Amino acid sequence: MTPLKLKVTWFLRITLCVSSFFIITEKTQAHTTYITQGECDGLPRVNLQTIPGTCVGLLTSGLQFPRGIAIKNNTIYVAEMGGWQKNRGRLIALENNGHGARRILLRGLDRPSGLTFSSDGQLYIGLPDRVMRVNLHSDNTASTQDVLTDIPSEGRHPLKALAADSNGGLYVSEGSASNNCETEMGALPDTSRSCPETRGSVPRGSILWFKPGNTPQSVSAQHVVATGIRNAAALTVLPDGKLLAIGNGRDSINVVDLKLSDKTLPHEPLYIIQKGTDYGWPYCFDNKRPAPEYPQHDCSAIPSSDMLLPAHAAPLGVLVYNSQAIPSLAGNIIMTYHGYRDTGHRVMSLKLAADGKPEASPQPVIWGWPDSAHSGRMPSGSPTGLATMPDGTLLISEDHNGTILRLSHTTR
């Protein structure tokens, strides 16, 4: 190994350790409790900044790393990941729009994250290596059935985001195993060969689609609809039926090239997905820029993103707000920025043009969390999942804080 490669290897190892420290730090500080004051639409009011005419209420707390949210018949279903250790996840139900009993429907799940009702009314949950149908029974119990199995799940990004189309199909995210195709020991990739993660029938850094049936399907090449997105952690289907995906960009780009800024690069790419397209990871980043590991790679044929979002914002949730209850958000894309850096911990809104493309720039909807892991008085913001209630209020899950917040119009 050359001195340069050895230096990069150790830098990457140190960086991964530092990243792990931030994750552990945030998790251990998750027990900080919001200090509420006054009322927001019948809930204790949380002291966060919001767009005019709205406020944030604390719907529930004490959850175990909540991620995905789905709503049906006045019941809020929540995928509790339980942390990063395996088989500690749960599916819970909050009755009466969150004001009633909290029921545990499933236990012992392996890091559940994505949760959605399909267009045929069935509930689905995403685990690292599979997607399951959740059968909800009249006696307030639930059972599961595998519908997509054998999904690759090793490495850095095992969690699965889900999005339902209007034809009974489901999109599934398949994140990368590495940061940017480095080896398990942290060495730079062999640039004389293609990245191992991009080979095989189901490449890492891709998006899958399938239509659940009565028998499990084993994931295969026929399920792959797009490749080259490092970690499409936020998925939603737009009103015109196209899929919107937001990727989470790499870390530590400056370790490989000191001239590049880890603070500002790479941006988080937002795409309106075109089926069969390769979006460039790990060879390219931002719009047609070669990654420092692959400086000679030709990125000219890689499509540009539809929008570049701030670096390390880490969008984990996205939906189209199809309600008039909060008029200024009607028809907009809503996104959660989960990142622990100063670009994260906020909820954002993005307008769509008549052609279905994003226009202007994202604007804050909820902000004001501290930009450090601990403020001494208030939890650090960690918004993840999103869901719209039938009355138009907006639910936001916070995994590290163990809460669900609700954004309401103050004149309701």
Side-chain angles (χ1 to χ4, degrees):
M1 185 179 293
T2 66
L4 175 60
K5 286 193 173 183
L6 183 61
K7 181 179 178 182
V8 170
T9 297
W10 281 105
F11 263 121
L12 286 171
R13 289 182 185 177
I14 292 169
T15 302
L16 292 175
C17 289
V18 171
S19 298
S20 297
F21 167 79
F22 276 111
I23 292 171
I24 293 170
T25 299
E26 284 192 322
K27 185 177 177 181
T28 56
Q29 292 166 345
H31 301 293
T32 305
T33 302
Y34 281 111
I35 298 174
T36 59
Q37 184 175 13
E39 183 180 287
C40 173
D41 192 23
L43 297 177
R45 184 169 186 153
V46 176
N47 186 25
L48 290 170
Q49 294 177 270
T50 65
I51 55 175
T54 64
C55 58
V56 173
L58 180 61
L59 180 67
T60 191
S61 59
L63 301 178
Q64 299 178 11
F65 223 74
R67 285 270 177 149
I69 313 174
I71 300 167
K72 188 176 184 180
N73 297 334
N74 298 322
T75 299
I76 302 168
Y77 298 91
V78 183
E80 288 185 313
M81 190 172 140
W84 285 96
Q85 292 180 302
K86 294 184 177 182
N87 304 322
R88 293 192 175 186
R90 306 189 303 185
L91 175 66
I92 67 168
L94 307 176
E95 297 178 343
N96 191 22
N97 296 324
H99 300 287
R102 180 186 300 183
R103 292 187 286 109
I104 301 172
L105 299 176
L106 299 170
R107 301 175 185 267
L109 300 176
D110 181 15
R111 294 164 290 172
S113 183
L115 187 69
T116 188
F117 281 98
S118 67
S119 59
D120 63 6
Q122 296 289 324
L123 181 62
Y124 293 90
I125 191 167
L127 278 59
D129 66 344
R130 68 194 60 228
V131 177
M132 300 190 305
R133 179 187 292 119
V134 179
N135 301 308
L136 302 171
H137 305 305
S138 58
D139 61 354
N140 292 329
T141 62
S143 59
T144 63
Q145 178 185 2
D146 289 345
V147 289
L148 186 68
T149 62
D150 305 315
I151 310 175
S153 59
E154 311 82 22
R156 289 175 64 109
H157 304 115
L159 305 185
K160 300 297 183 276
L162 301 179
D165 67 16
S166 60
N167 298 312
L170 293 176
Y171 290 99
V172 186
S173 66
E174 169 61 354
S176 68
S178 64
N179 184 34
N180 208 68
C181 202
E182 72 278 2
T183 69
E184 290 185 5
M185 296 300 294
L188 292 176
D190 179 358
T191 57
S192 67
R193 305 173 61 196
S194 62
C195 175
E197 294 183 50
T198 65
R199 306 173 204 156
S201 60
V202 183
R204 301 301 293 267
S206 62
I207 297 174
L208 316 174
W209 179 90
F210 76 108
K211 194 165 187 176
N214 294 324
T215 58
Q217 303 173 45
S218 180
V219 73
S220 67
Q222 69 178 1
H223 297 116
V224 179
V225 297
T227 57
I229 304 177
R230 179 176 174 269
N231 185 24
L235 301 175
T236 194
V237 175
L238 299 174
D240 62 5
K242 294 180 180 178
L243 177 70
L244 183 146
I246 311 176
N248 282 199
R250 64 175 294 168
D251 296 312
S252 311
I253 197 169
N254 61 321
V255 171
V256 187
D257 185 344
L258 296 177
K259 297 188 297 295
L260 299 176
S261 168
D262 175 61
K263 182 177 181 180
T264 60
L265 293 174
H267 293 85
E268 313 283 45
L270 182 152
Y271 301 108
I272 309 298
I273 296 297
Q274 300 294 322
K275 186 175 181 180
T277 299
D278 178 0
Y279 290 95
W281 182 87
Y283 312 108
C284 310
F285 73 98
D286 279 16
N287 289 333
K288 305 180 185 296
R289 297 183 65 175
E293 292 90 345
Y294 300 92
Q296 306 305 318
H297 191 88
D298 182 7
C299 296
S300 61
I302 298 299
S304 296
S305 65
D306 291 280
M307 179 169 284
L308 291 175
L309 304 177
H312 311 298
L316 295 189
V318 62
L319 56 71
V320 180
Y321 183 72
N322 292 317
S323 174
Q324 296 294 327
I326 305 176
S328 61
L329 300 182
N332 289 6
I333 296 295
I334 310 298
M335 305 173 288
T336 57
Y337 287 3
H338 181 267
Y340 67 84
R341 304 197 197 189
D342 57 7
T343 52
H345 39 264
R346 63 201 70 191
V347 178
M348 305 293 289
S349 172
L350 179 61
K351 290 184 179 296
L352 290 177
D355 62 359
K357 299 281 188 177
E359 63 179 5
S361 60
Q363 298 298 313
V365 177
I366 306 173
W367 67 103
W369 283 283
D371 59 5
S372 61
H374 184 49
S375 69
R377 289 182 57 82
M378 182 178 183
S380 177
S382 55
T384 51
L386 289 165
T388 306
M389 297 287 286
D391 64 2
T393 54
L394 187 68
L395 300 186
I396 305 102
S397 63
E398 293 188 287
D399 55 3
H400 293 300
N401 295 336
T403 66
I404 294 179
L405 306 178
R406 190 182 72 186
L407 180 73
S408 303
H409 202 284
T410 53
T411 59
R412 269 175 26 97

